[in-house]
Amino acid sequence: MAESSKIGGLDISSEVLRETAKNIQHIEDIEKLITEMLAGKKIHKISRLLEIILAGAIAIYASDVHIEPEKDRGRLRLRLDGVLQDVNFFDLDVYRLLNTRIKLLSGMKLTSKIAQDGRFNIMEGEEEISIRTSLIPGSYGESIVMRILDPKSIQVEMEKLGIEPSLFEIVKKEIIKPNGMILVTGPTGSGKTTTLYAFLRKIYSTEINIITIEDPVEYHLPGITQTQINLEKGYSFPEGLRSALRQDPDVIMVGEIRDGDTAEIAVQSALTGHMVFSTLHTNNAAGVIPRLIDLGVNPKILVSALSLSMAQRLVRKLCTFCKIEHIPTPDENETMKLVMDSIKEEGKSLSNYNINPKMPIKLWSPVGCKECNKTGYKGRIGIFEAIKTDEMIEKIMPENPSEREIKKVARTQGILSMRQDGIVKILNGITSFEEVQSVVDLNEE
């Protein structure tokens, strides 16, 4: 008997999904299956269409499915490696039936004219995949977005995040300490949660108690107690932290420090023998200290609590099957040399990053092939920077330093900045100049 998940009284057969996924390796395969199915006269056309969409999205590791009505057609797009790709277009009648099917599965109201959120689960073998659904009304109907919360997508080992070796050793030492606070900063979608989960998996053992407070819990971590905030019931991040502290934790992960209360309790937790991991919204690692002080944390106390401030961005990795070498343009060459010079000026050796400074600068460009769904990229990797709370940082922290002052002092730590880490990944052929430039200001000092 086929496994299935039931939400709203409807089934999605995991057996059918698995069989469908066997025929899908590339985005073209999804397009072909949808076109063939819509041309046929199958009775359960809409059910089959949704099965193809979901099986295809999971098979090619898409993070989101977008189904949008336009003036005279429906549009299907998938987000691959952070970028939306067109897959197919279909009649508005098909869109409307698909809309109804998704609403029923997600436990949504069929006739509501306001934005709605829902979710349903499907089984892939023994793995349960949650589909988080969002609908908002638009000019031509409701825009549907399904976020695929596939546990495999978050199971990135710490070694695979893209942290360069010397910083990796620093982070590895910091995360196993019995107390302190490690903050990861960056914009939404920059991989902060993936990084924190990788830290938790790295340090997990049956000898320590790890508790997370999240909004929401999207991925389940075996052996770790995960709790979800619920503002309607008064269970906020500060309240979650207070509750977690009564659970005899060794390590606490707070999804995000958003306010002064959360910041204050997190700092106090770090000072009272706990290791605290969390995220913060700042542009760079140097912005962490000023941000916490802005939230009301006493800088004299922060000195003893904050262990490491990290910042990250995600860039797409060049497809190894089709990338091509190209000679840099004058502007690219100038920027590359500028950043490479800054690495040398700060006492770091380019040879430590597999770069020969005496060789001509070599860049790589995306082309696009079947293996990468014609995008030129396959997979993503992080660009990182970090600032340790060492003696020099401790010395200036009580003076409420600016980002510029913190950056100046941190240069002596020998850790690459994000722009430098990005350049290293460009020179090693991991990503392209354009990708790094899209997430980091390469001309910023």
Side-chain angles (χ1 to χ4, degrees), residues 275-299:
M275 175 52 76
V276 179
F277 297 148
S278 191
T279 71
L280 202 63
H281 276 287
T282 68
N283 289 327
N284 49 49
V288 168
I289 292 168
R291 176 65 180 144
L292 289 172
I293 293 171
D294 285 346
L295 288 172
V297 177
N298 185 332

Side-chain angles (χ1 to χ4, degrees), residues 334-348 350 420:
E334 185 182 346
T335 301
M336 296 292 288
K337 282 186 174 178
L338 184 74
V339 182
M340 289 167 72
D341 287 344
S342 75
I343 293 173
K344 288 185 280 186
E345 285 165 9
E346 291 171 16
K348 305 159 196 164
L350 286 164
Q420 292 170 341

Side-chain angles (χ1 to χ4, degrees), residues 68-226:
E68 302 138 335
E70 297 181 345
K71 187 177 180 181
D72 51 10
R73 63 182 183 178
R75 182 188 196 186
L76 170 65
R77 295 189 290 172
L78 298 179
R79 189 175 292 279
L80 291 171
D81 297 327
V83 178
L84 283 168
Q85 307 285 335
D86 271 322
V87 179
N88 219 307
F89 296 91
F90 35 76
D91 293 340
L92 283 175
D93 286 344
V94 172
Y95 157 77
R96 293 186 191 102
L97 291 169
L98 200 53
N99 177 304
T100 300
R101 171 74 171 158
I102 291 168
K103 281 182 176 178
L104 287 167
L105 276 169
S106 306
M108 295 178 175
K109 294 177 182 177
L110 293 178
T111 56
S112 176
K113 299 299 179 187
I114 60 172
Q116 296 189 77
D117 293 316
R119 67 191 298 152
F120 59 95
N121 300 322
I122 55 178
M123 296 298 296
E124 187 192 33
E126 295 182 1
E127 290 270 19
E128 186 176 63
I129 297 175
S130 286
I131 311 293
R132 195 176 69 203
T133 312
S134 170
L135 269 75
I136 61 167
S139 301
Y140 300 109
E142 291 167 313
S143 173
I144 306 165
V145 176
M146 292 184 285
R147 165 64 59 89
I148 299 169
L149 303 174
D150 187 346
K152 291 194 294 294
S153 68
I154 205 82
Q155 290 170 7
V156 181
E157 298 301 319
M158 190 171 148
E159 290 80 1
K160 301 281 181 69
L161 292 172
I163 303 173
E164 58 91 6
S166 59
L167 177 56
F168 184 88
E169 290 304 313
I170 291 168
V171 174
K172 198 165 70 169
K173 287 175 185 174
E174 292 294 336
I175 63 175
I176 61 171
K177 288 183 177 178
N179 59 278
M181 184 162 69
I182 296 174
L183 297 181
V184 181
T185 183
T188 302
S190 59
K192 300 186 296 294
T193 302
T194 301
T195 297
L196 290 184
Y197 277 13
F199 292 173
L200 293 179
R201 278 197 301 274
K202 189 75 174 174
I203 64 171
Y204 172 75
S205 87
T206 55
E207 296 175 359
I208 61 172
N209 183 23
I210 302 174
I211 298 178
T212 74
I213 304 110
E214 303 176 59
D215 179 27
V217 174
E218 293 186 341
Y219 302 94
H220 296 284
L221 300 170
I224 292 172
T225 303
Q226 294 172 271

Side-chain angles (χ1 to χ4, degrees), residues 274-428:
H274 307 91
M275 175 52 76
V276 179
F277 297 148
S278 191
T279 71
L280 202 63
H281 276 287
T282 68
N283 289 327
N284 49 49
V288 168
I289 292 168
R291 176 65 180 144
L292 289 172
I293 293 171
D294 285 346
L295 288 172
V297 177
N298 185 332
K300 292 178 182 177
I301 295 173
L302 188 58
V303 165
S304 304
L306 184 64
S307 311
L308 189 70
S309 306
M310 293 183 69
Q312 70 176 80
R313 301 289 188 273
L314 283 179
V315 292
R316 292 180 293 171
K317 294 192 290 184
L318 285 164
C319 174
T320 55
F321 290 93
C322 65
K323 68 177 182 179
I324 57 167
E325 189 180 325
H326 84 265
I327 298 168
T329 66
D331 283 348
E332 288 173 340
N333 203 53
E334 185 182 346
T335 301
M336 296 292 288
K337 282 186 174 178
L338 184 74
V339 182
M340 289 167 72
D341 287 344
S342 75
I343 293 173
K344 288 185 280 186
E345 285 165 9
E346 291 171 16
K348 305 159 196 164
S349 174
L350 286 164
S351 60
N352 291 341
Y353 309 105
N354 300 316
I355 297 164
N356 184 347
K358 294 178 182 177
M359 295 292 287
I361 292 173
K362 185 168 67 174
L363 304 185
W364 298 83
S365 294
V367 176
C369 65
K370 199 170 184 180
E371 292 297 324
C372 59
N373 292 302
K374 297 183 178 178
T375 64
Y377 298 94
K378 192 167 187 178
R380 289 192 287 178
I381 195 167
I383 288 177
F384 295 89
E385 67 181 18
I387 296 174
K388 293 186 294 180
T389 308
D390 60 9
E391 287 183 15
M392 296 288 284
I393 295 292
E394 286 177 4
K395 192 174 179 181
I396 64 167
M397 205 185 288
E399 300 165 9
N400 195 357
S402 66
E403 283 188 25
R404 186 176 290 275
E405 290 168 323
I406 293 167
K407 280 182 184 179
K408 187 177 179 181
V409 172
R411 286 192 184 117
T412 61
Q413 295 183 353
I415 300 171
L416 294 177
S417 67
M418 276 191 291
R419 66 197 278 263
Q420 292 170 341
D421 190 29
I423 291 297
V424 166
K425 287 182 169 73
I426 292 168
L427 290 169
N428 281 311

